[in-house]
Amino acid sequence: MIKKLNHVAIAVPDMDKAIAQYKNQLGAEVGEVKDLPDHGVTTVFVNVGNTVIELLHPLGDNSPIAKFLEKNPNGGMHHLCYEVDNINEAAQKLKADGARVLGEVKTGAHGKPVLFMHPKDFSGTLIELEEV
Ligand code: CO
């Protein structure tokens, strides 16, 4: 069902510092910073050749990233995103298997439908599925 890794997301306490590190220390290609109010995050994508790193920072009140950074003040790996052909079919199959889908299908940072799966059902890893 999953086709390939789309991105790895890292929550960062200081977006400017994280961008400067990826650009200047690691020499990576860093994209534009985007606010996603529906998700409560500011994001930027870093192209690392075979995949993409998504840097995440809290936006607004009740950001899920704010809670994550309270527990992980230095930041840390937040989720993995896998590509699927059909997000509704994937969600139905996973729900039928007893996996917990978090919320509804939303439009993600790439403008494509995304869905999150509970980390307790996936070895402690938050999984994002993106229809590509
Ligand atoms: Co993501």
Side-chain angles (χ1 to χ4, degrees), residues 11-88:
V12 301
D14 183 335
M15 188 59 114
D16 292 338
K17 192 175 161 193
I19 288 171
Q21 275 178 335
Y22 271 90
K23 238 185 223 173
N24 305 329
Q25 290 182 341
L26 297 175
E29 189 190 307
V30 179
E32 293 295 311
V33 176
K34 267 191 204 164
D35 289 341
L36 299 179
D38 280 2
H39 294 269
V41 295
T42 296
T43 68
V44 64
F45 286 100
V46 180
N47 188 349
V48 294
N50 65 335
T51 192
V52 168
I53 306 300
E54 176 182 32
L55 303 177
L56 290 174
H57 188 73
L59 175 70
D61 299 332
N62 296 319
S63 170
I65 304 305
K67 284 168 211 139
F68 184 91
L69 287 174
E70 265 171 40
K71 288 184 207 150
N72 306 275
N74 296 316
M77 208 208 79
H78 185 263
H79 66 264
L80 296 179
C81 177
Y82 297 121
E83 297 180 2
V84 295
D85 282 323
N86 184 312
I87 200 126
N88 292 314

Side-chain angles (χ1 to χ4, degrees), residues 1 3-4 6-7 81-91 105-108 110-115 128-132:
M1 183 171 68
K3 294 191 296 181
K4 62 177 191 174
N6 182 279
H7 60 266
C81 177
Y82 297 121
E83 297 180 2
V84 295
D85 282 323
N86 184 312
I87 200 126
N88 292 314
E89 268 177 28
V105 174
K106 284 185 182 175
T107 300
H110 299 106
K112 308 257 176 69
V114 300
L115 190 66
E128 178 180 21
L129 300 175
E130 181 174 302
E131 186 174 291
V132 174

Side-chain angles (χ1 to χ4, degrees), residues 102-125:
L102 296 171
E104 306 281 310
V105 174
K106 284 185 182 175
T107 300
H110 299 106
K112 308 257 176 69
V114 300
L115 190 66
F116 286 89
M117 308 298 304
H118 202 295
K120 283 189 179 155
D121 296 330
F122 292 96
S123 311
T125 308

